[in-house]
């Protein structure tokens, strides 16, 4: 979301909520979380490809962790935030029509590896 918060602020919020720092937690690990939430978990990322005519395309793909189904949301030569938002909205509507209720979306935090004009 682009909001930077100091580690001490996060620590204070967790302490106030009664949550121990990560190394001291006795509860689930990241792998446990992924396993227990697989039915409600999507992960998305871009990959790039080059067409037979030499055009570079950026492809937005999503994987449903429970089924390992991969959805290709679209491909474009110039992905923009609005393009990604629209592709994601379309996917959510498709999932809703299919009766799927995803709760979590995993994405990387990189600003962008896509060249900007």
């Amino acid at each position: 979301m682009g909001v930077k918060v100091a580690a001490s602020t996060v620590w204070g919020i967790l302490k106030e909520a009664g949550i121990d720092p990560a190394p001291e937690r006795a509860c689930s690990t990241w792998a446990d979380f992924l396993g227990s939430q697989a039915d409600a978990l999507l992960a998305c990322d871009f990959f790039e490809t080059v067409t037979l005519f030499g055009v570079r395309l950026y492809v937005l793909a999503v994987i449903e962790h429970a089924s390992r189904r991969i959805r290709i949301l679209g491909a474009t030569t110039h992905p923009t935030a609005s393009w990604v938002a629209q592709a994601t909205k379309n996917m959510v509507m498709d999932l809703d029509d299919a009766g799927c209720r995803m709760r979590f979306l995993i994405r990387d935090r990189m600003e962008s590896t896509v060249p900007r004009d």
Side-chain angles (χ1 to χ4, degrees):
M1 296 184 83
V3 178
K4 293 184 180 187
V5 179
S8 59
T9 302
V10 174
W11 180 83
I13 292 168
L14 293 175
K15 183 177 179 184
E16 187 175 303
I19 301 171
D20 294 330
E24 299 171 17
R25 289 187 194 151
C27 60
S28 65
T29 64
W30 180 244
D32 293 336
F33 170 78
L34 292 177
S36 68
Q37 298 296 326
D39 288 338
L41 194 60
L42 298 171
C44 68
D45 207 349
F46 277 101
F47 66 89
E48 64 181 74
T49 189
V50 178
T51 68
L52 292 174
F53 300 107
V55 177
R56 183 176 310 275
L57 292 176
Y58 299 92
V59 181
L60 181 57
V62 171
I63 185 169
E64 298 175 30
H65 276 260
S67 66
R68 299 288 189 215
R69 179 179 180 182
I70 296 175
R71 296 173 180 266
I72 303 299
L73 301 187
T76 182
T77 55
H78 297 287
T80 62
S82 60
W83 182 86
V84 172
Q86 187 61 54
T88 305
K89 287 176 188 177
N90 293 346
M91 178 200 59
V92 169
M93 287 189 300
D94 290 345
L95 290 172
D96 192 43
D97 289 345
C100 297
R101 298 282 187 217
M102 295 298 165
R103 294 180 48 215
F104 303 101
L105 175 66
I106 299 173
R107 64 173 182 82
D108 64 25
R109 288 193 234 170
M110 303 217 21
E111 282 294 314
S112 177
T113 57
V114 177
R116 297 178 188 228
D117 292 334

